[in-house]
């Protein structure tokens, strides 16, 4: 078939040579002529293959020029881009262009954030003072009977319809300020963990005493209406929360939340500490004892934070580190390391005789060396000994390493019911300023572990050190608001930080004992903090970010704390310990991170590769970083301004009357997540949208609203300048005879967050039904980014249209999957949206303002069209009629893209297919469609591969690796594990397989699910864990306007021609389709690859 097709093609190729006529005339006269005939046929075929078809570059160029003019005219007409550019050109004489001062902005933002956070600290101090005063005058009553509102029991009745004890009627009303949760802003209420008796005398006395906080809660909220949750966490276990809420238990009716386990409580109650956990893994620790020991270790780890340092040592006949890579040192107790330790502890096994003496020596050496080198927390040091007994003479160890100063406290946990060695274990703790506890059951672990916190807090209590602490960023999964907030595209803005302060007893009789009453605190939503760095001042690519003094991200637009597991969104295991280096990864020398961690003020520049469109596309930016410390906090602020258009901002001015008239146009919206007017201060304003608030303020109906004057001024100016677009678009829509079918939406956006759009087609006819709707967050102005069409247009020459198809995949390039609003949609909605995205095209261009030698971006404008319409234009152009004059054409003539042996494509400047014969190709990367041509284009320099990195990715777990360091210890470990797995599964097969049932199909089918081990392996293999990945992006080199080449693929050759489409970011490819090169050239994918580290 290939020979016949080639021969048939020969008549259409000019100058291709090759003689097949002899073979055509000769036939098989006899057997002796068969060999000569085969030789002649073979030579004919070879000549045709050598000659190949020729594709005319001139023809392809004509097509490209025609198609470029066609789509440019369409885009220009239906967007109105020339009209809008003219309107901004006309007002250039009346505007000012100013350079954005990064240092001044950083200083101003930091001062406003300091003021806001200062108000939170004052509120917490008032709570601490009130709690201490209330305790001072409270007399403990062992028989106190007191009814309080238990948040688990309020508004519930028993079987007879009577209110439950500690319940009763508790008024709740939805409140906009508290994420529309039903709350009671007049009262706080009490949450008690399920494992704590809610009528215990300590609980009743503490609740009664803390009733005095109700008035302070309300007063704080009136003084600072931006306050959110305020609370008091008691050392006895109850949690007083304002405003009061209904606490929802889990499906088992249990509330596991214990305020004493929360970071804000632990950090406020204790100073930073170095901890070495020593665990007995001798033979006597088998069974339940080992289970209790592991749970004890995990509970201790949960009490540590990023300001603490830790290591774990296991001992039996010898001493070993649970993580050999951490031998002899302390590591920061951040979430990553704590989770890593938990995984290793889970794999501990018991064997041999317990020799605690060597383990204690090793522990003291770790702590002493850290202190000598100035490492670790440089504060408290402690050893946590977990054992079922100690028989050795261990006094000499303490004499050598810890006495007489007793600088290191030793806490001991006796595991199990056996009390034979209790005195020895107790002696160790009491002679080293520690605390001894007996843990006989799993239920005892929580309360007993918490005791060490009270011991470590005693010096603070005695000295009355009321240190205010700020936590790292965290996501409060306790309150039910989190699920609703997951709808937000700005994932980093779901997080919060807490400010907390310890509460001590001031009673004279207990002052020397150092009694911690609890911790008071309040939450600060990072979203509210980042509103103080408004996006319009930072420009299209600019942004602000916050980090802690440990270098961890508090807020950053590129922070992605969520991942999708099945249909649910979940926080990543390490979501709040993402380092600045993992987001600003171009800072390879860590200069930015080092300066910010040290609390310095300064500036630096970096060349960065910034990804857009979920990592599919890359932009090369020159960024200036400005950073400074936020006084009285452990936080530093950084802002980023991009050179070029991002350096300047233009300022226009119009009257309020003129601007207000145009602001009320039906086609106009403003960024709902931006703060034009502060609506959260006065409860009466909380139900107003931003546009409603602006109108109320400008019309004088709400003069007390606090509004951003500069932003309002620019918004009014943009409303006036863009107002003619409404009439222009309306006129086009009403001219039904001249309206192209397939043009669906015209739109524009300005730096002030103003948007206008016109729907040319009704919703029932539109393919892009979700485009520019409330779910289409990528194409809207949000708190953390400008629309993607605005960002991309800004990096392309103004006046030239940039074309692209939105992402088609339901999974983005990042391995953690789509952790955005789509997770809240049904599978059908996600698939529908993905299908829509693959069948629409967006054309966008920038609009600029120039004053003197300074140019600033005023906005971007564009049009959304159906792919079907664009395709129809292309196929009409890319087809020479049969009566074409071919006399001057060197190559196939007439050339038609609809021929079976020709493949034609239109791809964009990042290599994504827009037009192809195969409808499913639209939106795919061209390297996946034709690896041979894409490989050749990369080799020829027409496309460049750019490596990008994702240090927040999630990868599938390695099935047979418990410890990432373990395979490095023995090259035979992998083989041994595989053999072990095979034998265990084979044994299970022999045990479970019913040989008689082999002859009964039904029974055989029923037996299939019994292979539980295999399914468990498979399930674990589907689990995701944090990892680092490298993934490619591809960029067109615009200096190469056209090229053509021939690819040799075994017994055939493939010719292709590439031509840039003028006035666009598109390329036209015409490829010979009858030569399959898939064996010689693999597809080029954009799949990320996990980065493996060799320690």
């Amino acid at each position: 078939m290939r020979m016949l097709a080639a021969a048939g093609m020969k008549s259409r190729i000019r100058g291709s040579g090759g003689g097949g006529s002899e073979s055509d005339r000769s036939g098989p006269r006899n057997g002796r002529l068969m060999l000569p005939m085969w030789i002649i046929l073979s030579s004919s075929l070879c000549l045709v293959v050598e000659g190949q078809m020729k594709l005319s570059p001139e023809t392809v160029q004509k097509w490209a020029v025609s198609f470029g003019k066609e789509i440019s005219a369409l885009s220009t007409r239906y967007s109105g881009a020339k009209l809008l550019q003219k309107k901004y050109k006309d007002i250039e004489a009346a505007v000012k262009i100013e350079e954005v001062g990064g240092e001044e902005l950083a200083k101003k933002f930091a001062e406003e954030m300091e003021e806001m956070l200062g108000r939170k600290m004052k509120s917490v101090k008032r709570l601490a003072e009130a709690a201490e005063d209330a305790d001072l005058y409270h007399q403990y009553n062992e028989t106190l009977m007191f009814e309080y509102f238990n948040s688990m029991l309020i508004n519930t009745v028993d079987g007879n319809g009577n209110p439950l004890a500690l319940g009763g009627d508790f008024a709740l009303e939805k409140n906009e300020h508290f994420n529309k949760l039903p709350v009671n802003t007049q009262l706080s209420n009490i949450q008690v963990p399920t494992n704590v008796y809610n009528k215990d005398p300590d609980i009743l006395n503490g609740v009664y005493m803390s009733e005095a906080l109700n008035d302070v809660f309300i007063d704080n909220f009136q003084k600072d209406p931006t306050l959110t949750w305020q609370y008091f966490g008691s050392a006895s276990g109850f949690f007083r929360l304002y405003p009061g809420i209904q606490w929802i238990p889990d499906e088992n009716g249990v509330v596991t939340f214990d305020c004493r386990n929360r970071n804000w409580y632990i950090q406020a109650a204790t100073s930073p500490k170095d901890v070495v956990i020593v665990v007995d893994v001798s033979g006597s620790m088998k069974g339940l004892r080992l289970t209790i020991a592991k749970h004890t270790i995990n509970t201790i780890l949960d009490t540590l934070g990023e300001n603490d340092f830790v290591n774990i040592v296991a001992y039996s006949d010898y001493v070993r580190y649970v993580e050999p890579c951490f031998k002899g040192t302390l590591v920061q107790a951040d979430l990553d390391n704590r989770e890593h330790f938990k995984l290793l502890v889970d794999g501990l096994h018991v064997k041999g005789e317990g020799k605690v003496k060597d383990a204690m020596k090793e522990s003291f050496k770790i702590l002493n060396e850290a202190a000598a080198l100035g490492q670790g927390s440089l504060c408290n040091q402690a050893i946590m000994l977990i054992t079922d007994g100690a028989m050795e003479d261990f006094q000499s160890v303490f004499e050598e390493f810890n006495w007489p100063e007793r600088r290191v406290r030793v806490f001991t946990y006796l595991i199990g019911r056996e009390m034979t060695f209790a005195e020895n274990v107790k002696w160790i703790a009491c002679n080293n300023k520690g605390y001894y506890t007996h843990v006989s059951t799993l239920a005892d672990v929580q309360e007993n572990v918490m005791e060490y916190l009270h011991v470590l807090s005693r010096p603070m209590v005695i000295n009355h050190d009321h240190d205010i602490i700020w936590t790292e960023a965290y996501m409060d999964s306790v309150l039910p608001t989190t699920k609703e907030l997951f709808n937000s595209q700005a994932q980093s803005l779901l997080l919060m930080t807490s400010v907390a302060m310890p509460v001590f007893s001031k009673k004279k009789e207990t002052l020397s004992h150092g009694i911690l009453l609890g911790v008071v605190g309040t939450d600060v939503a990072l979203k509210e903090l980042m509103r103080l760095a408004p996006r319009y001042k930072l420009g299209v690519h600019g942004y602000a970010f916050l980090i802690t003094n440990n270098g961890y991200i508090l807020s950053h637009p590129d922070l992605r704390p969520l991942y999708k597991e099945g249909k649910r969104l979940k926080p990543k295991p390490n979501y709040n310990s993402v380092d600045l280096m993992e987001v600003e990864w171009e800072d390879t020398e860590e200069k930015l991170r080092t300066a910010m961690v040290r609390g310095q003020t300064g500036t630096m520049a970096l060349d960065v590769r910034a990804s857009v469109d979920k990592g599919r596309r890359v932009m090369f930016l020159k960024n200036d970083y400005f950073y400074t410390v936020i006084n009285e906090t452990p936080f530093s602020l950084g802002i980023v301004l991009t050179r070029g258009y991002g350096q300047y901002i233009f300022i226009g001015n119009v009257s309020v009357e003129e601007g207000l008239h145009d602001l009320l146009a039906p086609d106009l919206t403003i960024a709902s997540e931006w703060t034009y007017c502060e609506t959260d201060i006065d409860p009466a304003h909380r139900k107003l949208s931003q546009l409603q608030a602006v109108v109320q303020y400008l019309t004088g109906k709400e003069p007390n609203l606090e509004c951003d004057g500069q932003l309002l001024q620019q918004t009014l100016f943009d409303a006036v300048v863009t107002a003619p677009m409404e009439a222009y678009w309306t006129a086009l829509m009403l001219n039904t005879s001249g309206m192209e079918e397939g043009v669906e939406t015209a739109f524009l956006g300005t730096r002030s967050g103003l948007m206008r759009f016109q729907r040319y087609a009704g919703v029932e006819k539109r393919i892009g039904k979700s485009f520019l709707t409330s779910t289409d967050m990528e194409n809207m102005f949000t708190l953390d980014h400008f629309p993607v069409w605005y960002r991309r247009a800004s990096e392309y020459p103004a006046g030239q249209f940039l074309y692209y198809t939105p992402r088609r995949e339901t999974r983005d390039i990042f391995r953690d999957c789509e952790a955005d609003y789509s997770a809240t949609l049904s599978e059908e909605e996600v698939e529908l949206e993905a299908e829509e995205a693959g069948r629409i095209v967006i054309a966008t261009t920038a609009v600029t303002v120039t004053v003197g030698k300074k140019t600033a971006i005023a906005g971007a404008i564009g049009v959304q069209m159906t792919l079907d319409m664009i395709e129809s234009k292309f196929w009409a152009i890319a087809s020479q009629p049969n009566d074409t004059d071919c006399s001057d054409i060197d190559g196939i003539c007439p050339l038609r893209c609809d021929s079976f042996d020709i493949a034609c494509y239109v791809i964009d400047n990042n290599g994504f297919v827009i037009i192809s014969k195969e409808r499913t190709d639209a939106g795919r990367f061209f390297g996946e469609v034709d690896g041979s041509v894409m490989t050749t284009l990369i080799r020829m320099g027409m496309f460049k591969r750019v490596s990008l990195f994702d240090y927040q990715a999630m990868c599938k777990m390695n099935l047979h690796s418990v410890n990432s360091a373990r395979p490095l210890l023995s090259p035979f470990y992998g083989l041994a594990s595989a053999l072990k797995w095979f034998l265990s599964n084979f044994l299970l097969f022999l045990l479970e397989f019913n040989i008689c049932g082999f002859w009964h199909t039904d029974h055989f089918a029923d037996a299939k699910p019994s292979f539980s081990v295999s399914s468990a392996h498979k399930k674990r293999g589907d689990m995701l864990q944090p990892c680092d990945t490298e993934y490619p992006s591809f960029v067109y080199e615009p200096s190469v306007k056209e090229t053509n080449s021939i690819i040799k693929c075994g017994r055939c050759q493939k010719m292709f021609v590439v031509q840039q489409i003028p006035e666009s970011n598109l390329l036209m490819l015409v490829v010979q389709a009858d030569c399959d090169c898939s064996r010689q050239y693999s597809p080029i994918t954009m799949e990320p690859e996990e980065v493996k580290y060799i320690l």
Side-chain angles (χ1 to χ4, degrees):
M1 291 298 293
R2 180 178 296 277
M3 178 189 72
L4 294 175
M9 200 185 301
K10 185 164 70 78
S11 63
R12 294 188 287 144
I13 301 178
R14 293 174 50 83
S16 62
S21 58
E22 183 63 27
S23 64
D24 292 339
R25 290 192 298 267
S26 59
R29 298 191 193 97
N30 55 58
R32 289 178 297 174
L33 291 178
M34 289 299 293
L35 183 60
M37 184 189 72
W38 172 245
I39 293 173
I40 292 170
L41 284 171
S42 298
S43 62
S44 172
L45 177 62
C46 291
L47 286 171
V48 172
V49 169
E50 280 299 316
Q52 275 300 311
M53 68 163 65
K54 289 190 68 177
L55 303 175
S56 169
E58 293 80 9
T59 300
V60 177
Q61 183 183 42
K62 288 179 182 178
W63 288 353
V65 171
S66 298
F67 185 62
K69 288 179 179 178
E70 182 85 22
I71 59 173
S72 178
L74 266 176
S75 305
T76 302
R77 182 184 183 207
Y78 288 105
S79 68
K82 286 187 176 179
L83 174 61
L84 185 62
Q85 182 63 73
K86 181 181 182 302
K87 291 300 177 183
Y88 273 103
K89 184 75 175 173
D90 292 343
I91 51 83
E92 285 180 349
V95 302
K96 293 188 300 181
I97 291 187
E98 296 180 354
E99 188 165 352
V100 180
E103 292 182 29
E104 184 181 336
L105 271 185
K107 180 182 177 183
K108 181 175 181 292
F109 292 165
E111 288 173 350
E112 291 177 355
M113 290 180 180
E114 179 186 343
E115 181 184 351
M116 176 189 177
L117 298 177
R119 294 198 301 270
K120 314 304 177 192
M121 289 189 281
K122 287 179 181 177
S123 296
V124 169
K125 287 178 181 177
R126 286 193 287 267
L127 287 172
E129 290 169 2
E132 290 181 350
D133 288 344
D135 175 72
L136 181 62
Y137 299 109
H138 174 70
Q139 295 297 318
Y140 188 90
N141 183 355
E142 186 75 32
T143 60
L144 177 67
M145 299 297 291
F146 176 65
E147 290 288 322
Y148 61 88
F149 286 114
N150 186 311
S151 59
M152 281 273 290
L153 304 174
I154 58 172
N155 301 331
T156 55
V157 294
D158 60 19
N160 298 320
N162 299 315
L164 296 177
L166 303 182
D169 291 333
F170 191 79
L172 295 172
E173 183 180 354
K174 284 190 176 182
N175 191 300
E176 298 285 332
H177 181 68
F178 295 95
N179 299 306
K180 301 180 181 178
L181 262 184
V183 299
N184 185 323
T185 55
Q186 300 305 310
L187 285 173
S188 62
N189 59 6
I190 305 296
Q191 179 268 336
V192 183
T194 303
N195 64 334
V196 176
Y197 179 45
N198 57 25
K199 290 187 178 181
D200 183 277
D202 287 347
I203 297 293
L204 292 175
N205 277 270
V207 171
Y208 180 79
M209 175 273 293
S210 63
E211 283 284 299
L213 295 180
N214 266 321
D215 292 339
V216 186
F217 286 142
I218 295 170
D219 186 52
N220 279 345
F221 192 39
Q222 289 174 346
K223 288 178 178 177
D224 181 7
T226 65
L227 276 173
T228 56
W229 308 102
Q230 302 175 70
Y231 40 82
F232 169 62
S234 166
S236 59
F238 74 83
F239 181 59
R240 181 178 287 279
L241 179 66
Y242 173 86
I245 64 165
Q246 175 102 43
W247 205 283
I248 308 299
D250 63 20
E251 59 272 13
N252 300 314
V254 174
V255 172
T256 57
F257 174 81
D258 189 326
C259 62
R260 296 168 297 178
N261 291 338
R262 306 297 282 182
N263 261 358
W264 53 265
Y265 185 99
I266 294 164
Q267 289 182 38
T270 64
S271 302
K273 48 199 169 291
D274 301 334
V275 176
V276 177
I277 301 172
V278 181
V279 57
D280 183 351
V281 289
S282 62
S284 62
M285 286 286 288
K286 64 183 178 181
L288 180 60
R289 291 183 182 183
L290 183 61
T291 302
I292 295 172
K294 290 178 179 180
H295 187 42
T296 303
I297 295 172
N298 290 342
T299 305
I300 293 172
L301 288 172
D302 286 337
T303 66
L304 304 179
E306 61 184 32
N307 293 319
D308 303 317
F309 291 80
V310 67
N311 206 336
I312 303 179
V313 172
Y315 73 92
S316 53
D317 298 305
Y318 62 97
V319 177
R320 69 179 185 273
Y321 289 83
V322 296
E323 174 51 271
C325 297
F326 297 159
K327 183 178 180 180
T329 188
L330 292 167
V331 295
Q332 190 174 21
D334 59 25
L335 190 60
D336 273 347
N337 287 331
R338 297 200 308 266
E339 292 302 317
H340 183 61
F341 274 130
K342 287 179 182 179
L343 186 66
L344 299 174
V345 166
D346 188 51
L348 288 176
H349 300 285
V350 298
K351 186 180 181 181
E353 181 183 350
K355 297 184 178 180
V356 70
K357 191 173 181 179
D358 291 341
M360 296 302 290
K361 279 185 179 181
E362 187 68 22
S363 302
F364 279 116
K365 286 178 182 177
I366 296 171
L367 295 172
N368 289 344
E369 186 174 344
L373 296 175
Q375 297 173 346
S377 68
L378 304 178
C379 197
N380 294 314
Q381 290 192 322
I383 294 173
M384 309 294 194
L385 175 61
I386 301 169
T387 181
D388 65 345
M391 297 179 289
E392 296 175 272
D393 178 15
F394 34 72
Q395 182 171 333
S396 60
V397 177
F398 302 119
E399 290 174 345
E400 179 182 355
F401 290 99
N402 206 35
W403 293 352
E405 294 88 355
R406 291 175 171 81
R407 187 173 46 81
V408 178
R409 295 178 183 267
V410 182
F411 298 86
T412 56
Y413 301 87
L414 181 65
I415 305 298
R417 299 186 183 278
E418 181 62 51
M419 299 291 290
T420 305
F421 302 104
E423 285 303 315
N424 288 355
V425 177
K426 187 175 182 180
W427 183 92
I428 293 173
C430 294
N431 283 277
N432 290 278
K433 298 172 69 175
Y435 193 88
Y436 156 81
T437 58
H438 179 211
V439 186
S440 58
T441 67
L442 284 170
D444 296 336
V445 173
Q446 182 70 44
E447 289 295 320
N448 286 318
V449 165
M450 300 306 296
E451 290 296 337
Y452 94 87
L453 294 175
H454 298 291
V455 175
L456 289 183
S457 70
R458 281 175 188 164
M460 293 173 56
V461 180
I462 293 170
N463 296 329
H464 231 61
D465 294 333
H466 279 89
D467 292 334
I468 284 185
I469 64 95
W470 288 91
T471 68
E472 73 276 16
Y474 70 95
M475 193 174 296
D476 198 340
S477 57
V478 177
L479 296 173
T481 52
T482 310
K483 291 180 181 178
E484 297 175 20
L485 290 175
F486 278 3
N487 287 320
S488 173
Q489 174 82 357
Q491 290 185 45
S492 67
L493 303 175
L494 298 174
L495 304 177
M496 61 181 66
T497 181
S498 294
V499 54
M501 191 174 183
V503 177
F504 307 133
S505 173
K506 296 196 296 186
K507 293 178 179 177
K508 290 182 180 179
E509 62 269 24
T510 61
L511 199 58
S512 61
H513 298 175
I515 294 178
L516 175 73
L517 299 174
V519 173
V520 290
T522 186
D523 295 338
V524 180
L526 292 172
K527 176 173 64 175
E528 300 307 317
L529 197 57
M530 297 312 292
R531 287 187 192 277
L532 299 176
R535 288 307 314 269
Y536 80 94
K537 290 187 177 182
L538 302 173
V540 58
H541 299 307
Y543 56 90
F545 62 92
L546 290 166
I547 69 167
T548 69
N549 56 354
N550 287 308
Y552 292 144
I553 295 291
L554 267 181
S555 183
H556 193 292
D558 291 335
L559 179 65
R560 306 192 318 278
L562 304 176
Y563 76 105
K564 193 174 178 183
E565 187 173 80
K567 297 180 181 179
R568 296 180 57 209
L569 280 178
K570 296 174 64 176
K572 295 176 183 176
N574 60 337
Y575 77 93
N576 61 352
S577 58
V578 176
D579 195 274
L580 180 63
M581 281 287 295
E582 295 175 314
V583 178
E584 299 288 349
W585 49 267
E586 299 277 18
D587 179 28
T588 54
E589 297 179 9
E590 297 191 33
K591 291 181 179 179
L592 177 65
R593 182 190 187 279
T594 301
M596 293 187 72
V597 166
R598 291 176 177 173
Q600 297 174 356
T601 297
T603 181
M604 66 177 292
L606 282 176
D607 292 315
V608 302
R609 290 161 281 178
S611 66
V612 292
D613 202 12
K614 296 287 184 178
R616 299 202 319 165
R617 307 176 190 275
V618 65
M619 294 186 299
F620 299 92
L621 305 175
K622 181 81 170 179
N623 284 347
D624 288 311
Y625 291 78
F626 304 89
Y627 50 87
T628 190
V629 68
I630 300 176
N631 295 323
E632 306 301 323
T633 75
F635 307 144
S636 285
L637 168 71
I639 68 167
V640 178
L641 299 175
T642 302
R643 293 187 187 176
Y645 291 138
Q647 289 177 277
Y648 302 108
I649 184 172
F650 85 92
I651 300 170
N653 197 11
V654 294
S655 68
V656 172
E657 293 76 15
E658 186 182 6
L660 189 57
H661 174 270
D662 292 324
L663 196 65
L664 295 173
D667 69 325
L668 185 146
T669 64
I670 58 176
S672 61
E673 293 187 8
W674 291 14
T675 305
Y676 296 81
C677 293
E678 182 56 69
T679 58
D680 204 30
I681 296 176
D682 187 338
H685 298 151
R686 287 177 183 151
K687 292 186 179 181
L688 294 176
S689 69
Q690 282 297 312
L691 184 56
Q692 289 170 337
V694 169
V695 172
Q696 295 274 316
Y697 174 75
L698 293 176
T699 55
K701 293 179 180 178
E702 292 288 351
N704 295 326
L705 274 166
E706 293 182 14
C707 297
D708 186 329
Q710 184 180 349
L711 180 55
L712 287 190
Q713 177 183 320
Q714 193 59 46
T715 304
L716 291 175
F717 183 80
D718 288 339
V720 171
V721 178
T722 61
M725 300 309 301
E726 180 189 8
Y728 177 86
W729 290 335
T730 302
L732 283 176
M733 185 179 65
L734 294 177
N735 182 17
T736 53
S737 60
M739 190 76 195
E740 291 268 4
E741 188 173 347
V743 180
E744 296 192 340
T745 304
F747 57 88
L748 66 85
T750 69
R751 183 167 177 156
S752 63
L754 177 146
M755 279 184 62
R756 290 182 184 269
F757 57 88
Q758 173 69 56
R759 302 292 192 188
Y760 288 127
V763 66
E764 68 285 348
K765 292 184 178 180
R766 286 204 306 272
I767 299 296
K769 289 181 172 62
S770 63
F771 182 64
L772 297 185
T773 63
S774 58
T775 62
D776 187 21
M777 301 299 289
E778 275 207 328
N779 288 308
M780 306 294 281
F781 289 93
T782 68
L783 203 55
D784 74 332
H785 65 67
F786 277 54
V788 67
W789 46 265
Y790 195 125
R791 284 178 282 164
R792 295 202 63 206
S794 68
E795 292 306 307
Y796 202 67
Q800 289 189 22
F801 279 91
L802 177 140
Y803 301 87
Y804 68 98
T805 58
R807 278 183 311 110
R808 176 163 195 159
E809 297 85 356
T810 55
R811 180 185 60 82
D812 59 47
I813 202 71
F814 297 134
R815 188 57 67 91
D816 52 60
C817 307
E818 276 197 299
D820 58 19
Y821 74 91
S822 64
T824 64
L825 305 177
S826 67
E827 286 187 23
E828 294 78 10
E829 288 173 316
V830 171
E831 291 297 330
L832 177 63
E833 196 163 300
E835 180 62 28
E836 287 178 8
R839 301 305 301 170
I840 67 172
V841 175
I842 294 172
T844 179
T845 185
V847 177
T848 58
V849 173
T850 301
V851 176
K853 295 183 179 179
K854 298 176 181 177
T855 299
I857 287 189
I861 189 168
V863 61
Q864 175 256 311
M865 303 169 280
T866 65
L867 183 56
D868 290 339
M869 185 195 74
I870 299 294
E871 285 176 340
S872 66
K873 302 287 183 187
F874 176 76
W875 300 124
I877 290 170
S879 179
Q880 288 181 316
N882 292 330
D883 58 354
T884 301
D885 181 4
C886 300
S887 58
D888 296 326
I889 296 177
D890 184 20
I892 300 173
C893 183
L895 183 62
R896 302 177 62 90
C897 276
D898 56 6
S899 299
F900 76 95
D901 51 4
I902 300 292
C904 296
Y905 305 93
V906 174
I907 65 173
D908 67 20
N909 58 318
N910 295 113
F912 291 98
V913 176
I914 292 181
I915 297 176
S916 168
K917 284 181 184 177
E918 296 292 331
R919 288 174 63 90
T920 55
D921 288 344
R924 293 177 64 194
F925 178 59
F926 182 65
E928 298 174 359
V929 176
D930 193 328
S932 62
V933 175
M934 193 67 203
T935 300
T936 307
L937 292 177
I938 294 170
R939 287 175 182 171
M940 296 171 73
M942 198 165 197
F943 275 88
K944 178 172 68 173
R945 185 188 190 278
V946 180
S947 289
L948 300 171
F949 297 91
D950 180 15
Y951 296 103
Q952 303 174 67
M954 297 290 288
C955 301
K956 288 187 177 180
M957 291 181 68
N958 186 340
L959 282 179
H960 309 301
S961 175
V962 176
N963 180 347
S964 59
R966 196 167 184 180
L968 300 175
L969 303 179
S970 171
F972 302 107
Y973 175 71
L975 180 61
S977 296
L979 184 60
K980 179 182 176 182
W981 178 86
F982 172 77
L983 290 174
S984 64
N985 277 274
F986 183 65
L987 179 61
L988 183 72
F989 174 80
L990 292 177
L991 290 172
E992 295 188 345
F993 184 68
N994 184 341
I995 197 70
C996 299
F998 182 82
W999 307 108
H1000 303 280
T1001 308
D1002 293 342
H1003 188 78
F1004 188 68
D1006 290 339
K1008 193 173 182 180
S1010 67
F1011 294 96
S1012 55
V1013 174
S1014 298
S1015 62
H1017 269 284
K1018 182 179 179 182
K1019 186 174 181 181
R1020 187 181 171 212
D1022 291 337
M1023 291 176 62
L1024 300 175
Q1025 64 181 2
C1027 64
D1028 299 339
T1029 59
E1030 177 186 357
Y1031 62 96
S1033 185
F1034 297 86
V1035 182
Y1036 165 60
E1037 174 50 60
S1039 62
V1040 184
K1041 305 292 184 184
E1042 59 185 33
T1043 189
N1044 60 81
S1045 184
I1046 295 176
I1047 305 169
K1048 294 183 179 180
C1049 301
R1051 298 189 61 185
C1052 68
Q1053 296 182 108
K1054 177 190 287 188
M1055 182 180 183
F1056 68 88
V1057 177
V1058 185
Q1059 179 69 49
Q1060 185 193 44
I1061 297 173
E1063 302 298 311
S1064 77
N1065 65 317
L1066 303 179
L1067 299 169
M1068 183 179 294
L1069 278 77
V1070 180
V1071 183
Q1072 180 183 342
D1074 62 349
C1075 180
D1076 183 8
C1077 296
S1078 59
R1079 290 188 178 182
Q1080 290 78 18
Y1081 295 88
S1082 299
I1084 300 175
T1085 72
M1086 299 185 70
E1087 281 296 306
E1089 292 185 5
E1090 184 176 357
V1091 178
K1092 300 287 187 180
Y1093 299 99
I1094 300 177
L1095 301 177

